[in-house]
Amino acid sequence: MESDDELPEDEEEMLVYVEFEGLAGNDAFNNENLQLDMIGLDTEHPVMQINGRFYEGTYEDAMGTYMFFEKDDNPKVDDVVFDKVPSLKYFAKTRKLLKMQRVFTKPKVEVVGDSEHESCIPNTDTLSQAGVPPNYQKDAMKFWNKIRNDKLEELNTYLEKHKIREEKKSQDTPNSDEDNIVEHKTEENSEKV
């Protein structure tokens, strides 16, 4: 099993400072029951869900350097009388910033609507109204079309097989092979009794 220090050569580790718009002073991350899901961190617009709230982000280069500190369990002081004991020590730095903004989602039902009406088939207008970011709309349409075509193909295959079965059923005589097997087993059971 690989440790964190042994990353594969094609993977790169990068420290990023994440800034959430509208979460200043919020202690959502101090909650013991924090639910944090991240999607597409390696894309241009990653999405995070924090306790049921959705955020979409964009990467930027910082106008300086963000420094990270961690708790220092063994602080060292040069002058015990005049120096204040530090509680933190330097951990790392980064120049990469991920700015997250709150986005609102709508249930899928509102996008697709009632499947009985052709006007409810997703298009760029319905995706925009549903809150799908413009840069994801094209991919969403491709995905929806692929799923729709796959389902239609499965349905057509099923209907063809069903039609063939019905034709065979109507053409078969009452004494088909399956009926003979059932009749034969019934005769054997009656002889044993």
Side-chain angles (χ1 to χ4, degrees):
M1 185 169 176
E2 293 180 355
S3 70
D4 290 340
D5 298 332
E6 301 171 5
L7 291 175
E9 290 181 26
D10 60 337
E11 290 188 23
E12 181 182 339
E13 185 176 307
M14 180 174 35
L15 188 63
V16 176
Y17 179 80
V18 182
E19 182 178 282
F20 288 89
E21 186 179 285
L23 274 183
N26 192 332
D27 54 342
F29 295 102
N30 295 333
N31 186 351
E32 289 179 14
N33 299 323
L34 174 69
Q35 292 181 342
L36 176 66
D37 294 315
M38 297 177 264
I39 301 170
L41 286 178
D42 57 344
T43 64
E44 288 183 25
H45 299 281
V47 175
M48 291 187 191
Q49 181 181 8
I50 303 169
N51 292 333
R53 294 181 175 182
F54 289 90
Y55 296 86
E56 182 183 28
T58 54
Y59 288 102
E60 296 180 7
D61 289 323
M63 293 296 289
T65 303
Y66 287 96
M67 298 176 68
F68 298 90
F69 296 87
E70 62 186 356
K71 185 177 179 181
D72 190 357
D73 294 329
N74 298 320
K76 294 180 182 150
V77 178
D78 294 333
D79 187 352
V80 184
V81 176
F82 293 105
D83 286 347
K84 185 178 177 182
V85 180
S87 60
L88 301 174
K89 66 179 179 180
Y90 172 78
F91 170 70
K93 65 181 179 180
T94 187
R95 296 201 59 183
K96 206 52 133 168
L97 170 66
L98 176 58
K99 285 192 171 184
M100 303 297 289
Q101 291 184 341
R102 178 88 189 267
V103 291
F104 297 92
T105 59
K106 291 184 181 180
K108 185 177 178 181
V109 176
E110 289 185 28
V111 177
V112 179
D114 186 356
S115 60
E116 298 293 321
H117 299 91
E118 289 184 21
S119 62
C120 291
I121 293 175
N123 56 44
T124 52
D125 292 334
T126 57
L127 291 174
S128 294
Q129 291 171 2
V132 176
N135 50 330
Y136 293 119
Q137 290 176 5
K138 187 176 180 182
D139 290 337
M141 287 300 298
K142 283 181 186 176
F143 178 75
W144 185 84
N145 283 325
K146 181 188 179 314
I147 296 296
R148 181 177 180 267
N149 291 339
D150 290 348
K151 293 291 182 187
L152 286 174
E153 189 175 316
E154 288 176 20
L155 178 63
N156 287 335
T157 303
Y158 171 78
L159 290 175
E160 286 176 24
K161 287 181 179 179
H162 185 69
K163 183 178 177 182
I164 291 169
R165 273 188 240 123
E166 289 297 320
E167 287 175 1
K168 280 186 177 180
K169 208 181 224 183
S170 65
Q171 292 174 358
D172 284 343
T173 60
N175 291 330
S176 67
D177 291 338
E178 290 177 8
D179 292 338
N180 288 336
I181 292 170
V182 173
E183 286 177 16
H184 182 65
K185 285 183 181 179
T186 308
E187 288 174 7
E188 286 178 2
N189 290 339
S190 62
E191 289 176 5
K192 289 180 182 177
V193 177

